[in-house]
Amino acid sequence: MAQKRRRKNRKKLFLILFLTLLVMAGVVGYFVWDGYFRAEEKEDESSEMIEEVVPEEDKGGKGSTGDMIVEEKEPVVQYDGEDPNELDELTGVITYADVVGEKLMIRVNIDQFLEGGSCELSLIQGGVKYSASANINSVTTATCEGFDVLVNELGKGNYQIMIKLNAGGKTGTINGEVSI
């Protein structure tokens, strides 16, 4: 009799454990399913609006008359803040300044789109130690061509980097630091 009771208790315990796991799997499945469709809705809301061309149908039901209705959707605003191309001065950032092998490499990215111009580099340690110039390149963004300075021309120490930009009647200055 004691053995039957243990078997019934084991069966009840197994059944309770199975039902608990089944409920937990259902809850996890719900959250995964819900999260997937919420992410899809957000993706649909943030996608770019496009123009949709819809043929206008004839009232007689004979098909389209060849006239098209163009429905314009709201444009998507991509950036917040001011347009850097409308600023009175040129701005940018030094994206890379470090010694590689025997050369100090300095790379600059300019915030405005420019079609030509010049960049003048000055490395300062006390007084001006080194100066050079490079052209402004424009592919998809404007950048200085880059500066590669031989380290043995400079010597060790901290240098202030000053790059003067000149293009399209506008000027600007980008400052930074480098240790050699």
Side-chain angles (χ1 to χ4, degrees):
M1 184 95 118
Q3 263 186 342
K4 276 190 173 184
R5 227 186 237 174
R6 279 190 214 165
R7 284 186 187 169
K8 285 184 181 181
N9 286 341
R10 282 186 187 172
K11 286 182 181 179
K12 286 181 183 177
L13 183 62
F14 179 74
L15 183 62
I16 290 172
L17 183 61
F18 178 75
L19 290 175
T20 304
L21 289 175
L22 186 63
V23 168
M24 288 175 55
V27 169
V28 169
Y30 169 76
F31 284 121
V32 169
W33 183 269
D34 187 51
Y36 173 77
F37 283 108
R38 282 193 187 180
E40 206 172 86
E41 286 174 11
K42 286 181 184 177
E43 197 173 285
D44 290 343
E45 290 172 4
S46 65
S47 65
E48 189 174 326
M49 301 290 192
I50 58 172
E51 289 185 6
E52 188 176 321
V53 178
V54 180
E56 185 179 302
E57 293 199 4
D58 197 4
K59 289 183 181 176
K62 294 182 181 179
S64 70
T65 61
D67 295 334
M68 297 288 198
I69 298 173
V70 177
E71 294 180 11
E72 290 189 33
K73 306 277 180 160
E74 291 181 28
V76 176
V77 178
Q78 293 183 348
Y79 304 105
D80 291 333
E82 296 180 41
D83 182 3
N85 291 315
E86 295 177 7
L87 295 175
D88 293 334
E89 64 180 350
L90 299 176
T91 57
V93 65
I94 298 172
T95 56
Y96 186 78
D98 203 0
V99 176
V100 176
E102 297 291 318
K103 294 182 180 178
L104 169 64
M105 296 178 74
I106 300 173
R107 300 296 181 259
V108 177
N109 194 16
I110 301 169
D111 295 334
Q112 291 81 7
F113 179 76
L114 305 169
E115 294 190 23
S118 65
C119 301
E120 296 177 23
L121 168 71
S122 296
L123 294 175
I124 303 166
Q125 186 185 45
V128 173
K129 284 282 204 174
Y130 181 88
S131 62
S133 65
N135 292 324
I136 292 178
N137 288 334
S138 298
V139 181
T140 55
T141 62
T143 62
C144 292
E145 285 180 345
F147 300 96
D148 294 337
V149 182
L150 292 174
V151 175
N152 60 9
E153 292 182 22
L154 297 174
K156 302 252 184 228
N158 292 329
Y159 288 88
Q160 297 294 318
I161 301 171
M162 185 171 73
I163 300 174
K164 292 182 181 179
L165 306 172
N166 186 3
K170 296 180 180 180
T171 60
T173 304
I174 300 173
N175 296 307
E177 274 186 32
V178 68
S179 275
I180 299 176

